[in-house]
Amino acid sequence: MSGYDASVRAFAPLLLVVAACSPGLERSPRAPGSFDTPWEDATPSEHTLRGGFAVALDDELPGAGWFRSKGAGLEAVDLAQAAVTEVEGARWPVLRVRILGRESGGWTTLELDIALNHWAAGAVPLDGNDATGVIHTAAGATHYLLDGELRVTAAGTQRGERVQGSFEQIVLSEPL
Amino acid sequence: MIALLAAMALAHDRPVFHVEDIELWDDALARDVSFGVAEAGGLVVVRPHGDAFSFGLSHGAFDGVVRAALDRDTTYDFATIMHSAEVPTTFGGAAAFHLAYNRIDQFGTGSRPAHTPDRDLRAALWMNHPAYWDDWGDGIDQARWVFGQELGHYWLSYVQMDHPTLPADALLGRGAGHWSYFLETGNSPMEGNAWIDNGDGTFTTDRAAGPGGFSALDLYLMGLLPPAEVPPLTYIDTPDLQRTAGAAPEFLRGDADVTVSGAALTITLDQITAVHGPLETAGIAAAPTLLPVLVAGPEEVLTSELIDAVWARLDQWADAWTDMTGGRSSVSFSLVDEGRAPPPLEGAPALVPVGAW
């Protein structure tokens, strides 16, 4: 028996208990992997972001969403999309909310990615652990969301259910 | 104008039509509001971000919706705007209205120069929300009739005449933008009335005839009927002061028919063209294009039921327009695909929070 096997078997009962205490949440049976964390290398700017969204999960119809930066000239007001996505190698699916604004050169988007096990009504830290976010502008710039809080007022998890939230004073990274 | 019509609405406890070219109050706040635009189910969906309608429907809010919706490559003749029930608009109790932008094909009194020479739009129609029409007036027929009036305002009714005994503006009624109550119009969408000659010097409105289509004069002024097919008009010249030329057609309000004493006078098309000259161009009346717009609340989640309800009204109004023009015109509410669909939310998340690993 390898050391790795022993550690997995020791933790297995704990993992099963965690799953039993989290009804309604999907948990991937795969072993946890690792993913890039580009926000950790980003430089905080003096600019902040605020916005909101209200959208039905996996809906073909566009939801409502908007964001606007204080400084940085970032804005999108046109629509929002939301979905729960299984991620290979991740223990928990990710709830994705994308807010879009159409511009002459394409779309400026903000994607909020929230670990489904941390998705609930109330305050969700945008700290990279519970949730994170990134803006891609139509001009090709990237800004990470580095600090702040997402206030969730509707925490649907199933197709067609409403997800709704807002955010203010979110610290933005310098553009990449 | 707004105050007057609102007072009328309150006094009569009835919906009041707004005249064309209404002066919506200026709202500097609404001019600073941003409007999100998306496409859904063949409609342009506009969402105000901010308190666009905090003062009711102001010019700034309405124009903001129009500008946002029309920021497209394709040119449309008109915009037809409905809103969801969540949008809290009020405008003096009116059911709907027509706001002119470029009244290029208007024929008649008081030329209305282009309001917006930098934009191609002829006019925008505000048509309330789909369920509003369920209980309005006598139901489906009158809702269709209102659409006919609002779109008809692009051409009607603004003409004067050179008549030997009647004043030059005798044809005109409410707000100088509809036919006189005393003009025989067969219950045209542009008002006037269908009248029954009782043969004893009295005339009675004919509510039972129901909402009618456009009259021959209407169709001529729209460029849809040649002058030779416009018969003489009948006008009831009455001293009855209880009914004014500007009164809204009472048959829409469930009142009893009205009988007046007077004389039936004849008006010919020549007496109208003597003032304005003949209509020289058919314009766009045969096949106008209308951009279909839905205003939704800033946090409203759209439903297929709402989209379907909007289309049910648009289809109803398209059929009504064809009927009311005697098959001489058909409107299109088709939204031209300009490749504005957003990228689908597919594939892997942009980022995976550590807590999900």
Side-chain angles (χ1 to χ4, degrees):
Chain A
M1 181 185 299
S2 68
Y4 172 79
D5 288 341
S7 64
V8 167
R9 290 179 184 180
F11 281 117
L14 178 60
L15 293 173
L16 290 173
V17 169
V18 169
C21 292
S22 305
L25 296 179
E26 297 293 328
R27 183 173 78 87
S28 169
R30 305 182 188 86
S34 63
F35 300 87
D36 292 338
T37 56
W39 60 86
E40 292 181 347
D41 297 327
T43 304
S45 74
E46 294 181 349
H47 307 305
T48 59
L49 190 77
R50 63 189 178 101
F53 57 88
V55 56
L57 275 172
D58 292 317
D59 197 357
E60 291 182 350
L61 296 175
W66 67 279
F67 65 83
R68 190 173 290 120
S69 67
K70 190 173 182 181
L74 302 171
E75 180 181 81
V77 297
D78 289 330
L79 68 144
Q81 305 161 316
V84 174
T85 301
E86 290 274 355
V87 181
E88 185 170 352
R91 194 181 299 273
W92 296 96
V94 173
L95 189 137
R96 308 167 64 190
V97 175
R98 188 164 68 182
I99 302 171
L100 301 91
R102 187 176 177 278
E103 300 181 24
S104 58
W107 296 89
T108 287
T109 64
L110 161 64
E111 181 165 323
L112 297 166
D113 295 306
I114 304 102
L116 199 64
N117 52 324
H118 292 286
W119 173 250
V124 178
L126 275 163
D127 59 0
N129 183 61
D130 296 10
T132 185
V134 61
I135 293 174
H136 293 297
T137 71
T142 298
H143 298 257
Y144 292 101
L145 278 57
L146 299 183
D147 192 25
E149 207 169 69
L150 173 63
R151 290 189 298 275
V152 179
T153 52
T157 58
Q158 304 298 317
R159 184 187 186 91
E161 291 184 345
R162 186 183 185 105
V163 297
Q164 183 168 355
S166 63
F167 44 92
E168 286 184 347
Q169 296 291 320
I170 305 301
V171 176
L172 286 171
S173 76
E174 293 287 354
L176 301 170
Chain B
M1 178 64 73
I2 294 291
L4 171 64
L5 290 168
M8 289 171 64
L10 292 171
H12 296 282
D13 194 29
R14 296 162 180 164
V16 175
F17 292 17
H18 266 286
V19 299
E20 45 83 32
D21 275 349
I22 67 172
E23 292 293 330
L24 294 165
W25 51 88
D26 195 20
D27 175 11
L29 177 65
R31 292 187 186 277
D32 295 330
V33 170
S34 59
F35 294 87
V37 183
E39 294 180 3
L43 304 172
V44 176
V45 178
V46 177
R47 298 177 190 277
H49 292 283
D51 295 327
F53 304 115
S54 58
F55 302 113
L57 187 63
S58 68
H59 184 275
F62 185 78
D63 193 52
V65 169
V66 172
R67 279 187 286 109
L70 280 152
D71 185 16
R72 303 180 68 85
D73 300 325
T74 305
T75 298
Y76 295 81
D77 297 318
F78 303 95
T80 299
I81 301 167
M82 300 179 74
H83 63 87
S84 73
E86 284 197 22
V87 177
T89 60
T90 58
F91 39 99
F97 67 81
H98 166 116
L99 190 69
Y101 280 84
N102 297 296
R103 188 79 59 64
I104 299 170
D105 295 318
Q106 178 182 314
F107 186 79
T109 305
S111 65
R112 280 144 171 97
H115 294 263
T116 56
D118 58 322
R119 285 194 251 168
D120 295 326
L121 186 70
R122 311 297 179 110
L125 313 183
W126 185 268
M127 295 300 297
N128 225 299
H129 64 89
Y132 174 88
W133 302 102
D134 292 345
D135 300 320
W136 195 86
D138 287 342
I140 187 170
D141 287 343
Q142 292 186 6
R144 301 164 82 232
W145 192 87
V146 172
F147 175 78
Q149 178 174 118
E150 300 309 335
L151 184 55
H153 271 313
Y154 178 69
W155 299 270
L156 306 159
S157 305
Y158 313 111
V159 294
Q160 294 190 336
M161 61 180 174
D162 181 9
H163 192 273
T165 58
L166 291 171
D169 61 355
L171 287 170
L172 302 180
R174 189 165 61 90
H178 307 80
W179 297 125
S180 166
Y181 191 85
F182 301 104
L183 183 66
E184 166 61 57
T185 65
N187 294 335
S188 161
M190 307 315 299
E191 300 185 14
N193 277 296
W195 288 98
I196 299 171
D197 184 346
N198 298 316
D200 59 0
T202 67
F203 301 85
T204 302
T205 57
D206 186 3
R207 290 178 58 247
F214 290 106
S215 68
L217 177 60
D218 293 334
L219 294 172
Y220 167 77
L221 293 173
M222 294 164 71
L224 295 174
L225 197 70
E229 295 187 33
V230 181
L233 292 76
T234 300
Y235 178 89
I236 312 300
D237 188 19
T238 175
D240 186 346
L241 298 179
Q242 294 183 32
R243 306 292 174 219
T244 67
E250 293 179 357
F251 79 92
L252 288 178
R253 284 144 175 77
D255 292 337
D257 279 307
V258 172
T259 297
V260 299
S261 59
L265 301 183
T266 297
I267 296 169
T268 66
L269 182 61
D270 288 343
Q271 291 168 333
I272 296 172
T273 57
V275 175
H276 301 293
L279 186 70
E280 294 181 353
T281 176
I284 61 168
T289 57
L290 292 85
L291 181 71
V293 181
L294 170 65
V295 180
E299 297 180 339
E300 182 173 1
V301 175
L302 299 176
T303 64
S304 57
E305 289 75 18
L306 173 60
I307 302 297
D308 290 346
V310 171
W311 274 109
R313 288 296 171 203
L314 295 178
D315 289 341
Q316 174 191 61
W317 291 333
D319 290 343
W321 182 261
T322 301
D323 290 344
M324 289 187 287
T325 60
R328 295 174 177 84
S329 174
S330 61
V331 297
S332 168
F333 290 110
S334 294
L335 180 65
V336 175
D337 184 1
E338 297 180 2
R340 293 173 179 243
L345 190 58
E346 296 174 337
L351 302 169
V352 182
V354 175
W357 296 7

